[in-house]
Amino acid sequence: MSATPVLTLLKSAFQQSRAENNIELILPELLAAQLHVVIGGQSEQIDLFLVPSPNPERQCVTVAEDPAFLDGIAFPKIPVTGAQLIASIPPEIEIVILHGDGANYLTREQLAWFRGMLAPTA
């Protein structure tokens, strides 16, 4: 049984971001999102399952808000918040968020921008 795509707050933020040409609109919803991330193993340490990103010279991790959208991937998945994901992945890794009827992609440059926005100001 496949899940039916819904317009989540995160997916809506991506649409609004494109419409307004403002990537910053995504950050609040991304931080709060409950995601499922594909990992490469069953160990206690998170071993991200990396795949080529839309830019084939880079790698990304695949996530989804609805774990059913990851059913075709034969690797373990773990729940994380968007905030945990941003904090835990290396800076060179990108994110693909599956929605069931498409996906959204965050580049390493966009993620670096988000991390800069989250950094405490001195």
Side-chain angles (χ1 to χ4, degrees):
M1 180 169 124
S2 64
T4 303
V6 296
L7 185 60
T8 64
L9 293 174
L10 179 57
K11 186 175 177 182
S12 178
F14 273 97
Q15 291 176 349
Q16 184 179 1
S17 170
R18 281 190 288 278
E20 297 183 27
N21 197 27
N22 183 355
I23 191 73
E24 294 177 13
L25 298 174
I26 296 168
L27 185 58
E29 298 305 333
L30 178 62
L31 293 174
Q34 297 296 312
L35 303 169
H36 300 269
V37 61
V38 179
I39 60 172
Q42 302 264 4
S43 67
E44 292 195 16
Q45 182 171 347
I46 294 176
D47 179 19
L48 295 171
F49 181 69
L50 301 176
V51 296
S53 79
N55 176 342
E57 297 175 0
R58 298 181 178 193
Q59 292 189 307
C60 69
V61 48
T62 305
V63 304
E65 290 179 276
D66 186 334
F69 298 145
L70 301 171
D71 282 349
I73 301 172
F75 285 88
K77 293 94 181 169
I78 58 169
V80 296
T81 65
Q84 290 170 319
L85 184 64
I86 289 173
S88 66
I89 63 172
E92 69 275 8
I93 301 302
E94 302 180 328
I95 301 172
V96 171
I97 304 165
L98 301 181
H99 298 291
D101 59 351
N104 283 297
Y105 169 53
L106 290 168
T107 67
R108 65 175 78 160
E109 292 83 6
Q110 291 167 326
L111 292 168
W113 179 263
F114 289 165
R115 289 180 181 109
M117 293 174 62
L118 296 172
T121 55

